[in-house]
Amino acid sequence: MLNGYLTVLGIESSCDETAVSIVRLKNEFDGEILSNIVFSQIDEHLPYGGVVPEIASRSHVESLGPLIDKALNEASLKLNNIDGIAATAGPGLVGGLIVGLTTAKGISLGAGIPLVGVNHLEGHALTPLLTNKVSFPYVLLLISGGHTQLILVKDLGEYIQLGTTLDDAVGEAFDKAAKFLGLGYPGGPALEKISKKGSNVRFNFPRPLLKSHDCNFSFSGLKTSLIREVKEIEPLTENDLADIASSYQQAIIDCLREKSSRAISIAKEEYKDLNIKFFVASGGVASNKAIGKSLNELALRNSMEFVAPPIKFCTDNAAMIAWAGGLRLLNGQKDSLEISVKSRWPLNEMKINGGMHE
Ligand code: KG4
Ligand code: ZN
């Protein structure tokens, strides 16, 4: 440890990004990102319209080693300057997770530094502490290609799930619609772009579960109604396409906003003593400007501060893994070389010092 700082190398390989980062932790609220490298495999998956697990695993194997060297160079560090190694251990695609975690185990063993297996979701959940002026507790809307969750983040390792999706993740709703509309992959940014030119009220897409008294989402039916609308008005003009994209995005926004509103009310009511001040949106979908605008309004209405980490830390990255792993190391966690990856790993199983242990 240099001057009492903890320098952690993080590896992320749970889906289609191979990422390596080095973060230096001063304390639980202060971290400095020394390097942050993300290699996107998008081009390799593009011809298939989605992530192909075998291609992803092979690509992680090929790029991880050189990316670790690059991250060390960028930070002007050598491996013996690293105090701990953190790798995503789940949830995600098993093949990719094995590549990252096994590499981390090798480094841990070879360099004699502690290992932490990090929950990818915890990485997203703790990112705002690293990138923004946020402190515990906060209500978090985690919206990505794999997850749609509303979580009360009370403290490190203390997460209360307030709502989740019953079927597709919100990012999938964007990706599937964009694929069907021929907008390419990943669909979210493409759909957002085209929707800027369209009307968000021309088509009345369903808002599933909007009236239910919980904070859960359902997005699988949305795509079906999109297909139905398109079949009715085919062939589509450019205007039609923009209107469909915009109306579809609006249906998603309404669901996210209504359920977030409910989650905020529940959290404020049930945990009055916590004095929750922040509402955070994280995950790839949080980079959507129209979604951000609506959520910001919601936060203001609830006298809360809305926070969204910078886009490059909203999407998958390894700084969040190094940071979450570093926080756990600071709190005394150290995983054994026996730990294994988990394709499923809910956040409510994350008690500190519980770590990877069942
Ligand atoms: O967090 P992320 O990079 O990866 C995980 O799924 O963990 O999120 C990727 C997802 C994809 O579904 C992508 O289409 C979506 O985030 N996304 C967006 C936008 N940018 C990325 N969705 C809507 N609007 C965007 N601007
Ligand atoms: Zn993610």
Side-chain angles (χ1 to χ4, degrees):
M1 272 171 101
L2 185 70
N3 302 329
Y5 297 165
L6 186 75
T7 307
V8 182
L9 190 141
I11 296 174
E12 157 60 33
S13 60
S14 67
C15 192
D16 60 344
E17 262 106 20
T18 320
V20 180
S21 172
I22 298 173
V23 172
R24 179 164 287 163
L25 288 90
K26 296 176 183 162
N27 55 49
E28 290 205 3
F29 306 100
D30 200 355
E32 188 187 349
I33 300 163
L34 303 183
S35 60
N36 180 47
I37 297 169
V38 180
F39 171 73
S40 169
Q41 305 173 355
I42 281 182
D43 289 346
E44 294 167 69
H45 300 285
L46 208 58
Y48 308 95
V51 179
V52 183
E54 288 81 1
I55 294 177
S57 309
R58 195 170 320 157
S59 179
H60 288 306
V61 170
E62 283 164 7
S63 48
L64 193 50
L67 291 183
I68 292 172
D69 288 340
K70 201 170 162 198
L72 286 166
N73 277 337
E74 213 175 274
S76 305
L77 294 175
K78 299 250 178 305
L79 203 51
N80 61 12
N81 302 123
I82 302 295
D83 302 311
I85 177 124
T88 306
L93 298 172
V94 167
L97 292 170
I98 289 174
V99 174
L101 188 61
T102 308
T103 305
K105 285 180 184 178
I107 294 174
S108 167
L109 194 63
I113 53 175
L115 166 78
V116 181
V118 173
N119 183 314
H120 179 91
L121 298 173
E122 186 175 48
H124 279 303
L126 300 177
T127 297
L129 299 169
L130 172 66
T131 58
N132 299 71
K133 286 200 169 15
V134 169
S135 52
F136 295 122
Y138 46 91
V139 173
L140 171 78
L141 173 66
L142 180 55
I143 38 180
S144 74
H147 307 280
T148 308
Q149 304 204 1
L150 276 158
I151 299 157
L152 171 59
V153 182
K154 286 175 75 181
D155 207 336
L156 180 64
E158 285 187 48
Y159 313 107
I160 294 169
Q161 186 178 294
L162 301 167
T164 186
T165 178
L166 304 182
D167 40 58
D168 288 353
V170 63
E172 272 180 282
F174 274 103
D175 292 337
K176 286 181 177 175
K179 187 175 176 184
F180 178 73
L181 295 172
L183 300 177
Y185 164 85
L191 201 135
E192 178 183 17
K193 190 167 170 218
I194 195 161
S195 72
K196 285 188 183 133
K197 297 181 224 142
S199 154
N200 62 357
V201 291
R202 177 168 157 204
F203 296 93
N204 187 21
F205 288 112
R207 273 81 169 147
L209 300 184
L210 203 67
K211 300 264 175 310
S212 71
H213 292 290
D214 53 31
C215 304
N216 291 331
F217 304 91
S218 165
F219 291 110
S220 65
L222 254 179
K223 198 193 95 175
T224 317
S225 58
L226 175 100
I227 294 173
R228 201 178 319 119
E229 292 285 6
V230 169
K231 293 243 157 82
E232 261 177 40
I233 59 164
E234 263 175 340
L236 299 187
T237 64
E238 255 187 49
N239 275 349
D240 291 335
L241 195 60
D243 290 347
I244 284 192
S246 184
S247 303
Y248 186 85
Q249 180 175 275
Q250 191 57 47
I252 292 177
I253 292 174
D254 289 350
C255 295
L256 293 176
R257 182 173 166 141
E258 177 62 26
K259 296 300 176 147
S260 298
S261 169
R262 203 157 291 176
I264 288 172
S265 303
I266 292 172
K268 285 197 164 203
E269 184 60 31
E270 288 188 15
Y271 301 92
K272 269 199 193 87
D273 50 319
L274 290 183
N275 189 20
I276 306 164
K277 292 202 197 80
F278 300 102
F279 175 45
V280 178
S282 195
V285 182
S287 56
N288 182 298
K289 295 265 188 322
I291 292 177
K293 184 165 175 274
S294 177
L295 297 177
N296 188 28
E297 284 166 11
L298 174 68
L300 288 177
R301 198 174 281 207
N302 284 279
S303 310
M304 293 168 95
E305 189 180 323
F306 177 67
V307 175
I311 290 178
K312 65 177 173 178
F313 299 112
C314 266
T315 53
D316 286 351
N317 66 86
M320 67 180 193
I321 303 303
W323 171 243
L327 292 180
R328 287 186 165 265
L329 283 168
L330 281 180
N331 279 274
Q333 182 175 331
K334 179 176 175 248
D335 289 322
S336 87
L337 294 176
E338 307 294 312
I339 62 166
S340 49
V341 302
K342 297 180 175 201
S343 61
R344 233 194 117 263
W345 192 4
L347 259 187
N348 53 10
E349 294 172 10
M350 291 305 303
K351 270 229 160 309
I352 191 75
N353 292 329
M356 292 294 295
H357 316 295
E358 307 285 333

